[in-house]
Amino acid sequence: MPPRASKRKSAPPNSSSVTSSDGRSVSSKAKIKGLEKIDRLFNTYANSSLGMIDPEGIEALCSDLGVDYTDVRILMLAWKLKAEKQGYFTQDEWQTGLKALGVDSLSKLKKALSDLEKEVEKPSNYEDFYTYAFRYCLTEEKQKSVDIESICELLNLVLGVQFRPQIDSLIEYLKVGSQFCLRLLFFNF
């Protein structure tokens, strides 16, 4: 006697098991297409001789996004990309970061900048962002501190919107304090 046919419906095929006529899974084709779009966007702003987006490319990107290159959201983008060197985005950083953001076009990136602001507002992310921002300002190898002007700009950029009166006072204190220290050093020589 032959085995009875099951009356249960089989589970729908998994998206990773659905294949197209060329034998590739549909989801892997979509991933490849998304990565190609990310790479095309990268190449729009990349310096081809360096193989990365340099400060000029970042300025062009900012212009196309309609934001100033000093806008804190660009620093947030660098944070999300995990950019290691200030003013530069490598292709790997770009791919990884844009995939994490779910972005493959300029219009999606523009929307993602607003979402990044909300993401940074979460206490756990804010601490990580602030730490990243400080490290990002360290431009020399083994550098452990940031000059007064740079730290004042960083404080203004990162904290100024939320804590304007306190940041203004702190910046004034840092500038006056540094002037005082310089005078002390000058008079001691």
Side-chain angles (χ1 to χ4, degrees):
M1 183 173 210
R4 293 182 355 177
S6 172
K7 292 184 179 180
R8 293 196 299 183
K9 292 181 180 178
S10 62
N14 186 333
S15 65
S16 63
S17 66
V18 175
T19 55
S20 64
S21 60
D22 66 356
R24 282 190 178 160
S25 75
V26 172
S27 65
S28 71
K29 283 181 92 172
K31 287 178 185 177
I32 290 169
K33 187 175 181 182
L35 194 55
E36 287 173 354
K37 288 176 79 175
I38 289 171
D39 285 344
R40 275 196 301 273
L41 190 58
F42 175 84
N43 291 330
T44 301
Y45 301 103
N47 178 325
S48 57
S49 64
L50 293 175
M52 62 176 62
I53 298 175
D54 62 3
E56 287 178 10
I58 291 174
E59 279 193 52
L61 173 65
C62 291
S63 176
D64 291 349
L65 289 170
V67 298
D68 192 78
Y69 70 94
T70 61
D71 190 305
V72 71
R73 293 174 296 176
I74 300 306
L75 183 57
M76 291 174 183
L77 176 61
W79 167 68
K80 198 64 177 183
L81 298 179
K82 297 179 180 158
E84 290 187 21
K85 186 175 180 187
Q86 188 177 30
Y88 296 87
F89 300 147
T90 67
Q91 189 164 9
D92 186 49
E93 292 166 348
W94 184 261
Q95 287 175 343
T96 304
L98 264 57
K99 280 193 288 186
L101 288 169
V103 168
D104 62 6
S105 69
L106 196 61
S107 60
K108 289 179 184 177
L109 182 55
K110 191 170 189 169
K111 183 187 179 316
L113 291 181
S114 298
D115 295 340
L116 277 174
E117 286 181 290
K118 293 173 191 148
E119 186 176 337
V120 168
E121 287 175 2
K122 296 176 187 171
S124 60
N125 290 338
Y126 191 80
E127 183 178 338
D128 186 52
F129 170 68
Y130 183 81
T131 302
Y132 171 82
F134 177 80
R135 287 192 186 124
Y136 195 61
C137 285
L138 303 175
T139 55
E140 302 296 320
E141 201 170 315
K142 297 185 181 183
Q143 182 180 351
K144 295 187 188 254
S145 62
V146 179
D147 64 90
I148 294 292
E149 286 301 314
S150 296
I151 200 65
C152 289
E153 287 297 319
L154 179 63
L155 286 167
N156 193 33
L157 184 67
V158 174
L159 299 171
V161 174
Q162 290 179 300
F163 307 104
R164 174 58 50 214
Q166 296 90 339
I167 294 303
D168 287 345
S169 296
L170 178 57
I171 288 172
E172 184 179 337
Y173 172 78
L174 290 171
K175 288 181 177 180
V176 169
S178 68
Q179 292 294 322
F180 179 72
C181 288
L182 286 173
R183 286 187 194 128
L184 282 176
L185 284 172
F186 179 74
F187 287 122
N188 286 331
F189 284 108

